[in-house]
Amino acid sequence: MVHVTEKREYTGEYADKTLYLPGPTEVRDDVIEAMAEPMFGHRMERMTDLYTTIVEDTKEFLDTDRDVIVLTASGTAFWEATTLNLVEDRMLVPTSGAFSERQANVAERLEKDVDRIEYEWGQAVKPEDVRDALDAGDYDAVGMVMNETSTGVRNPVEEIGDLLGEYPDTSFVVDAISCLGGDFIDIEDHNIDAIFTSTQKAFAMPPGLAVCTVSDAAYERELERDSASWYGGFQRCLDYYDRKGQTHSTPAIPLMLAYRTQLKHMLEEGHHRRDERHREMAEYTREWAREHFDLYAEEGYRSQTVTCVENARDINVEATVEAVSERYDMVFASGYGAISEESFRIGHMGEHTVESIQALTDAIEDVAGL
Ligand SMILES: Cc1ncc(COP(=O)(O)O)c(C=O)c1O
């Protein structure tokens, strides 16, 4: 095998940059500091205190009695686990960007029979198309991305979930990775069987934990499957919690300590007020984008956590991202993949405020000469 990557020594000498990425995002100092505790064992009582605290506080934040799994993994693990746990043969995946396409791809890799409903990038998934597909075929599950991070589209998962009530044999799996905690959703009200996120997004944590809520129906359905995931098996994770209040294997204890601290901040603010703050940031960012550029996502379906700005002025996106980083120590994202120069993305999630987002837009204006 030809090796093309060479070691580049990590020096530790890097400027501290403020992150406006669609994840990872800024993390509070006390959350970072919470990780620096002496290590303890994952079968000690102290671990039960920690794990039961973060699971129950997550439920309180999301205002749900549903079961919660906190897994040492990035969110991608739950694409695999939910597919293995809930899909015997057929899965419907509406695709409207890079992440929904990858969700479909993961299921195909797991040898599931996947039907896509394909949309152009920037378009949202339409409930009537999902209904048509469900009327035409039997699916074990519909898998959907709530917030398409590559295009800044917020899909109408609530409406789609409501219509799924008419198809009780089909599970509803929602990837809310780039929005949960920054865009309110009533988890129990829309026939959602599993909804998951990664902690480095609107939960404003370091990366490394993935959080999923599981309906009773999904738990029961997994019991019927031969193919259920071991690592992300609902039954294995949840039964272990019920018996021991711990995780089935050794978790990232420092990250769980950090999550405990961050959850206290999230509970103090509350899910609804967090949602409101994100709405204000999204409105500010969209107004700024309309004034200077344009918006990539279809009107009426714009994300509350990630704005994808259409590069209507034809600025050099890569050079602007670079210069803002050099001159202002602020990092935002160019467009995703094939639209890297056609667009750029501002992550207004986690602990950011309208004021902190304005500092970035001021910097972009200065660098791009707007
Ligand atoms: C919508 C969406 N799904 C899945 C992922 C993958 O998440 P992770 O990198 O935590 O595995 C991302 C990451 O940006 C995402 O935005």
Side-chain angles (χ1 to χ4, degrees):
M1 188 170 175
V2 181
H3 295 281
V4 288
T5 303
E6 287 174 6
K7 178 182 175 188
R8 290 173 36 141
E9 189 70 36
Y10 187 83
T11 62
E13 289 159 14
Y14 303 95
D16 200 359
K17 309 268 180 187
T18 306
L19 303 180
Y20 296 87
L21 299 169
T25 184
E26 287 294 290
V27 179
R28 288 170 181 264
D29 290 344
D30 64 340
V31 174
I32 298 280
E33 285 155 16
M35 291 190 278
E37 273 194 36
M39 200 38 52
F40 51 90
H42 68 297
R43 296 292 173 236
M44 289 164 66
E45 277 184 22
R46 186 170 168 180
M47 186 66 221
T48 311
D49 294 350
L50 176 60
Y51 193 61
T52 56
T53 297
I54 60 176
V55 166
E56 298 305 321
D57 282 356
T58 303
K59 289 186 198 174
E60 188 179 337
F61 175 75
L62 296 174
D63 192 20
T64 184
D65 291 329
R66 293 228 169 136
D67 287 317
V68 165
I69 300 170
V70 182
L71 210 58
T72 299
S74 82
T76 297
F78 277 117
W79 274 338
E80 286 193 343
T82 52
T83 304
L84 288 168
N85 294 348
L86 297 174
V87 182
E88 191 73 48
D89 301 309
R90 298 189 69 194
M91 185 170 183
L92 179 68
V93 182
T95 56
S96 61
F99 291 96
S100 40
E101 178 53 41
R102 204 183 288 177
Q103 184 174 24
N105 200 250
V106 165
E108 282 167 343
R109 269 296 179 101
L110 297 171
E111 298 186 348
K112 305 302 175 191
D113 183 358
V114 177
D115 284 343
R116 291 171 171 72
I117 308 173
E118 290 179 29
Y119 295 89
E120 272 179 37
W121 280 37
Q123 299 296 301
V125 177
K126 305 299 179 314
E128 56 274 21
D129 298 336
V130 176
R131 180 187 290 284
D132 289 348
L134 289 171
D135 285 341
D138 283 334
Y139 293 100
D140 297 315
V142 174
M144 266 198 67
V145 169
M146 177 166 161
N147 196 73
E148 186 37 89
T149 322
S150 56
T151 61
V153 165
R154 169 29 160 118
N155 281 312
V157 288
E158 290 93 336
E159 270 180 74
I160 291 166
D162 290 345
L163 77 85
L164 266 151
E166 294 166 40
Y167 305 84
D169 296 332
T170 305
S171 301
F172 190 28
V173 173
V174 179
D175 163 345
I177 286 182
S178 60
C179 62
L180 197 68
D183 183 347
F184 182 85
I185 179 157
D186 188 332
I187 287 168
E188 296 187 13
D189 222 23
H190 303 287
N191 302 303
I192 295 171
D193 288 295
I195 181 165
F196 49 90
T197 189
S198 312
T199 48
Q200 76 274 16
K201 310 277 189 184
F203 279 18
M205 275 272 301
L209 296 178
V211 178
C212 184
T213 78
V214 182
S215 72
D216 290 348
Y219 179 91
E220 294 298 329
R221 208 159 281 170
E222 189 215 63
L223 301 182
E224 298 161 15
R225 307 262 177 253
D226 295 330
S227 61
S229 163
W230 199 101
Y231 191 71
F234 297 152
Q235 194 197 359
R236 177 163 284 99
C237 296
L238 294 173
D239 288 2
Y240 217 94
Y241 184 74
D242 283 341
R243 281 187 289 118
K244 303 221 161 138
Q246 296 177 349
T247 54
H248 57 56
S249 55
T250 322
I253 295 171
L255 288 170
M256 292 190 169
L257 288 165
Y259 188 36
R260 166 187 167 257
T261 301
Q262 175 60 5
L263 272 166
K264 301 298 179 205
H265 291 300
M266 288 162 65
L267 286 171
E268 198 179 325
E269 185 175 25
H271 200 169
H272 283 287
R273 264 191 293 150
R274 225 172 149 78
D275 174 76
E276 192 50 41
R277 180 167 54 78
H278 281 77
R279 187 183 318 280
E280 287 165 12
M281 289 193 285
E283 279 166 6
Y284 167 78
T285 312
R286 284 179 213 144
E287 208 170 295
W288 177 83
R290 273 192 213 98
E291 190 185 332
H292 297 286
F293 297 91
D294 211 338
L295 290 160
Y296 192 83
E298 180 179 357
E299 176 145 26
Y301 300 94
R302 289 176 180 149
S303 162
Q304 203 161 284
T305 51
V306 183
T307 293
C308 187
V309 180
E310 189 172 324
N311 182 12
R313 294 175 101 94
D314 211 15
I315 61 166
N316 183 328
V317 171
E318 195 185 340
T320 307
V321 169
E322 191 58 39
V324 168
S325 172
E326 279 296 308
R327 283 195 235 159
Y328 288 92
D329 285 331
M330 295 174 181
V331 185
F332 67 108
S334 58
Y336 196 96
I339 58 168
S340 66
E341 277 297 321
E342 250 176 76
S343 65
F344 59 88
R345 293 168 302 152
I346 297 175
H348 31 79
M349 59 173 66
E351 298 307 307
H352 277 295
T353 60
V354 170
E355 290 70 36
S356 70
I357 299 298
Q358 194 171 359
L360 173 70
T361 54
D362 286 351
I364 298 175
E365 282 182 34
D366 181 36
V367 165
L370 307 181

